[in-house]
Amino acid sequence: MIIGIIGCGKQAPKHIKGFRASGIEEIRVCDLDQERADMLANALGVTAVADVQTLLSSGVDAVSICTPTPTHEKLIRQCITANVHWMCEKPLCEDVATAEALLAETNAANLVGAVGWVYRHVPALKQGKMLVEEQQTEDAALGDITSAIFRIGGRGSAMAWKHYSAQGGGAIQEMMVHMIDLAQWYFGPPEEVKLLERELRRPTRTIQGETLEVDAEDWVLASLKFKGGVSVLIQADLTTPAFTQYIELHGENGSFVGSIQPEHASFIFLNEARSQWPAGRTALEVQPHNLYHSQMSAFVNDIQKSTRETADTLKDSVEVMRTVKKLN
Ligand SMILES: NC(=O)c1ccc[n+]([C@@H]2O[C@H](COP(=O)([O-])OP(=O)(O)OC[C@H]3O[C@@H](n4cnc5c(N)ncnc54)[C@H](O)[C@@H]3O)[C@@H](O)[C@H]2O)c1
């Protein structure tokens, strides 16, 4: 199987390593900036080609799109026309109608299309999902979950586009969508969406040595209410110097805290023993885990073995766009 990578910036090396760990030996890359493609090719021993069309007609079976968000729609359509399976970095696109059309066109072409919701591959956050699903049983560890907090904050990027609204930047598209997808993966589509705060706290930023006046929001707070009354508060930003991500789930019998960061404590605390968990605090042992290996091997398996592990990442992206629309 031959994989192509479009866009040779921050995400591309993670995708290449994930594909390599999934047994893919032949990888071709391209970028609008040929120098970037050549540098990545030299650093990771892959092949650089001239442009997207050359890549798509070079015999690749599937492509991974690692470019800024406003470019995703056109690149996905080029993959569909070339009859090439595709995976795209998050968020899928910028509006609901485009998300619905890309889902329909991919299915009509009988191709695998997947979106890189990498937080779904985090072991501690998968544990959170199991605790939510367990709610259907009488012995549910946390009992009825009533509230949750999902947080993601980072310092912002070295790339200017991530701080301009018209270029697909901002804390909603860059950060919050990860937590929206996670909350909806746990609880389904929200019944109510409220934007509580949306601010630009650092309008002047120095990016790659240049001082710029940026315009995209860098601090957001939203409240999502789900069926059964679960209320999730989501905070996301591009102003936190030390990257911080965690979620809290709180039920009538206990709490769960989980994170993508292995150095962050992930634990379950129960008032009374339930399910397989004792009363009190149980630390979750989280082994180091290559998230991009899980993500890419699910995609590769869907293509090679006709499994459907990544199908929901595309379908659910339509719901993410519906929620984002309500925040705008
Ligand atoms: N999953 C995650 O945790 C995560 C983290 C960061 C970024 N992302 C997402 O990944 C995507 C890429 O982000 P990044 O940080 O790698 O960006 P980046 O700016 O570091 O790299 C993007 C690259 O794409 C190239 N490019 C732009 N338009 C192109 C086109 N039409 N054809 C070919 N190449 C093109 C640029 O020249 C650049 O080298 C975005 O959608 C972003 O939201 C996801």
Side-chain angles (χ1 to χ4, degrees):
M1 187 169 177
I2 308 172
I3 293 284
I5 308 277
I6 305 178
C8 299
K10 180 178 162 195
Q11 287 305 98
K14 301 179 201 168
H15 285 223
I16 292 172
K17 287 173 192 165
F19 280 118
R20 282 255 170 81
S22 309
I24 303 296
E25 284 169 13
E26 192 161 353
I27 298 177
R28 299 174 187 161
V29 302
C30 73
D31 196 292
L32 284 181
D33 180 339
Q34 184 67 40
E35 215 178 298
R36 279 200 193 182
D38 290 339
M39 271 172 57
L40 185 65
N42 286 335
L44 294 184
V46 295
T47 307
V49 302
D51 53 35
V52 173
Q53 270 321 326
T54 310
L55 184 80
L56 288 173
S57 55
S58 73
V60 291
D61 299 283
V63 148
S64 197
I65 299 170
C66 300
T67 56
T69 311
T71 65
H72 292 174
E73 175 186 358
K74 183 173 172 208
L75 292 169
I76 290 169
R77 289 223 162 90
Q78 283 179 268
C79 292
I80 296 172
T81 305
N83 206 33
V84 163
H85 302 288
W86 60 269
M87 159 173 285
C88 183
E89 260 303 344
K90 51 50 67 176
L92 172 62
C93 56
E94 296 184 290
D95 62 88
V96 180
T98 305
E100 285 172 339
L102 293 174
L103 169 65
E105 288 162 35
T106 302
N107 288 343
N110 211 13
L111 291 168
V112 175
V115 181
W117 297 119
V118 75
Y119 284 76
R120 295 185 183 204
H121 295 273
V122 175
L125 301 177
K126 281 192 199 171
Q127 180 64 65
K129 165 105 168 138
M130 281 188 253
L131 290 167
V132 172
E133 282 173 351
E134 206 184 65
Q135 293 240 288
Q136 316 300 334
T137 67
E138 276 188 12
D139 201 29
L142 301 185
D144 282 345
I145 296 172
T146 50
S147 68
I149 294 179
F150 285 38
R151 155 124 165 90
I152 182 167
R155 67 180 174 275
S157 172
M159 300 304 280
W161 71 266
K162 297 193 179 182
H163 299 280
Y164 290 101
S165 300
Q167 294 177 40
I172 295 179
Q173 294 278 49
E174 271 307 288
M175 305 295 264
M176 190 176 247
V177 289
H178 275 303
M179 296 300 101
I180 293 173
D181 177 68
L182 200 60
Q184 297 185 174
W185 187 51
Y186 281 14
F187 300 112
E191 292 181 339
E192 197 182 304
V193 177
K194 263 194 213 156
L195 179 67
L196 304 175
E197 267 186 63
R198 176 192 186 130
E199 292 179 4
L200 174 54
R201 294 187 175 180
R202 289 185 53 203
T204 307
R205 281 186 181 253
T206 302
I207 298 174
Q208 292 184 338
E210 217 185 321
T211 300
L212 300 170
E213 295 303 316
V214 297
D215 67 7
E217 79 287 343
D218 59 12
W219 206 97
V220 254
L221 182 65
S223 150
L224 272 55
K225 288 215 168 115
F226 294 88
K227 199 170 158 208
V230 184
S231 137
V232 180
L233 199 60
I234 306 185
Q235 191 273 325
D237 65 67
L238 295 166
T239 59
T240 302
F243 174 81
T244 304
Q245 190 280 325
Y246 60 83
I247 67 163
E248 299 174 11
L249 302 174
H250 302 287
E252 46 88 18
N253 187 53
S255 296
F256 164 80
V257 174
S259 171
I260 196 173
Q261 296 173 277
E263 68 275 21
H264 197 291
S266 289
F267 66 89
I268 293 176
F269 175 90
L270 297 190
N271 291 331
E272 65 176 47
R274 272 198 210 161
S275 185
Q276 79 267 39
W277 306 99
R281 181 178 164 123
T282 306
L284 294 174
E285 297 295 335
V286 181
Q287 301 302 322
H289 181 76
N290 181 346
L291 305 176
Y292 288 88
H293 178 194
S294 308
Q295 189 175 60
M296 302 323 172
S297 59
F299 178 59
V300 168
N301 279 342
D302 280 0
I303 297 166
Q304 291 181 327
K305 301 182 185 156
S306 300
T307 49
R308 302 259 309 148
E309 231 188 294
T310 63
D312 284 350
T313 62
L314 175 55
K315 187 170 67 61
D316 295 350
S317 290
V318 177
E319 289 303 331
V320 171
M321 283 297 114
R322 288 206 175 102
T323 299
V324 167
K325 186 178 177 191
K326 290 175 188 158
L327 297 175
N328 283 313

